[in-house]
C-alpha cells in the first residue's frame, strides 16, 4: 500500500517514524517494511491484513493528517509474489520486476542509437532522468563519438540496473541481457566477473 499527500519522499523517512512504531508495537505486525511512502506487510490471512489496513488508515488520519492512496493497494498470496521496490518478492527468493528489465533494455537501445543511429533507429527517447535532460539540451547529437566520459556515464547507468538485479536470483537474466541485447556495445563494456554482476569499460579507452 502507498501513503498519499506526503510533502516529499525524503520527509516521509522522518514523518512516518511514528507509524513504524505503531505497526510494530501496537499492531504487533511481525513482518513489515517501509521505504519512503511505500508499505509492505506480511500477515497470516486476508482478514488480518484488512484489519491492519484499517488501523493504519485511522492512525494516519488522526495523527499525521495523511491517508492511504486508494488506487495503490494490493493484497496477494505469497506463492504469486508481490511487487515492491523493483522486485517481485516470494517467500524464499526475489525476482526482478519486468518493468526494470524493460527499462534497462530501453536504455541499451538508446545507447546503441547514440553511437550507431543508422543501424539502430530510436523508438523511444528517455522520458526521465539524466539522459532525458542531456537530449533536451542538445548535448548529444547522433552519431556520438564513444569517448571515455560518455562510456563511463553509460557504464554507471547500466550498472545501476545490474546492481538492482544483483539482489535477486538473476544470474541467467544478467548473462542473457549482456549476450543478447548489448549487441555492438560489447565492444566497450565487458563483464566485471563470471557472475555478470556489473560491466566495466577497459581503461584502454581512456586514451582513445
Amino acid at each position: 500500500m502507498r501513503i498519499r499527500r506526503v510533502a516529499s519522499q525524503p520527509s516521509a523517512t522522518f514523518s512516518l517514524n511514528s507509524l513504524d512504531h505503531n505497526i510494530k508495537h501496537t499492531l504487533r505486525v511481525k513482518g513489515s517494511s517501509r521505504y519512503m511512502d511505500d508499505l509492505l506487510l506480511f500477515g497470516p490471512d486476508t482478514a488480518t491484513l484488512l484489519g491492519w489496513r484499517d488501523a493504519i488508515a485511522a492512525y494516519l488520519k488522526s495523527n499525521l493528517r495523511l491517508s492511504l492512496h486508494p488506487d495503490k493497494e494490493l493484497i496477494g498470496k505469497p506463492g504469486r509474489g508481490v511487487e515492491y521496490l523493483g522486485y517481485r518478492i516470494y517467500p524464499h527468493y526475489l525476482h526482478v520486476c519486468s518493468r526494470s528489465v524493460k527499462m534497462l533494455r530501453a536504455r541499451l537501445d538508446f545507447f546503441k542509437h547514440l553511437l550507431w543511429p543508422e543501424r539502430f533507429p530510436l523508438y523511444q527517447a528517455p522520458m526521465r532522468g539524466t539522459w532525458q535532460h542531456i537530449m533536451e539540451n542538445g548535448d548529444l547529437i547522433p552519431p556520438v563519438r564513444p569517448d571515455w566520459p560518455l562510456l563511463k556515464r553509460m557504464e554507471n547507468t547500466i550498472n545501476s540496473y545490474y546492481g538492482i538485479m544483483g539482489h535477486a536470483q538473476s544470474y541467467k537474466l544478467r548473462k542473457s541481457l549482456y549476450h543478447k541485447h548489448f549487441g555492438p556495445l560489447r565492444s566497450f563494456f565487458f563483464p566485471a566477473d563470471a557472475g555478470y554482476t556489473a560491466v566495466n569499460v577497459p581503461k584502454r579507452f581512456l586514451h582513445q
Side-chain angles (χ1 to χ4, degrees):
M1 66 186 78
R2 175 168 292 177
I3 300 167
R4 68 175 180 180
R5 291 202 296 270
V6 176
S8 66
Q9 283 195 330
S11 70
T13 301
F14 302 99
S15 64
L16 297 176
N17 279 340
S18 64
L19 174 63
D20 296 336
H21 288 284
N22 180 264
I23 291 173
K24 182 177 180 180
H25 299 294
T26 302
L27 299 181
R28 298 187 180 278
V29 178
K30 294 183 179 180
S32 66
S33 175
R34 178 179 64 82
Y35 179 76
M36 299 300 184
D37 57 352
D38 281 328
L39 292 172
L40 178 64
L41 305 179
F42 298 93
D45 51 60
T46 300
T48 300
L49 290 170
L50 290 174
W52 289 342
R53 186 274 312 275
D54 293 342
I56 290 171
Y59 181 89
L60 289 170
K61 182 178 180 179
S62 62
N63 292 275
L64 300 175
R65 297 182 181 180
L66 297 171
S67 64
L68 295 175
H69 198 295
D71 301 322
K72 296 186 177 180
E73 176 185 313
L74 175 66
I75 295 179
K77 296 181 179 180
R80 296 179 180 177
V82 59
E83 288 194 7
Y84 185 64
L85 304 181
Y87 300 97
R88 179 164 287 275
I89 302 174
Y90 296 89
H92 303 294
Y93 57 92
L94 296 176
H95 280 173
V96 181
C97 286
S98 58
R99 180 173 178 271
S100 297
V101 178
K102 183 178 179 180
M103 290 175 65
L104 172 56
R105 293 182 62 174
R107 283 291 181 269
L108 294 173
D109 288 342
F110 172 64
F111 295 160
K112 287 183 283 188
H113 171 74
L114 286 180
L115 300 178
W116 306 282
E118 293 185 358
R119 292 175 58 189
F120 301 98
L122 181 62
Y123 295 105
Q124 181 179 353
M127 303 297 292
R128 57 188 294 184
T130 301
W131 294 103
Q132 178 192 18
H133 296 306
I134 290 175
M135 292 300 291
E136 289 179 349
N137 292 335
D139 296 333
L140 295 176
I141 300 177
V144 179
R145 180 177 177 271
D147 58 19
W148 179 258
L150 177 66
L151 292 176
K152 291 298 289 184
R153 180 170 286 178
M154 290 178 174
E155 177 193 279
N156 290 336
T157 296
I158 295 169
N159 284 340
S160 68
Y161 288 97
Y162 266 61
I164 292 173
M165 291 188 288
H167 294 288
Q169 283 67 32
S170 62
Y171 164 74
K172 291 182 178 179
L173 172 62
R174 299 192 304 267
K175 182 178 180 180
S176 175
L177 283 167
Y178 181 79
H179 288 286
K180 296 182 179 180
H181 209 77
F182 273 62
L185 291 173
R186 294 199 304 271
S187 300
F188 305 109
F189 303 101
F190 294 83
D193 50 45
Y196 294 83
T197 58
V199 297
N200 293 331
V201 180
K203 290 187 176 181
R204 70 172 183 269
F205 290 106
L206 178 61
H207 305 292
Q208 293 186 8

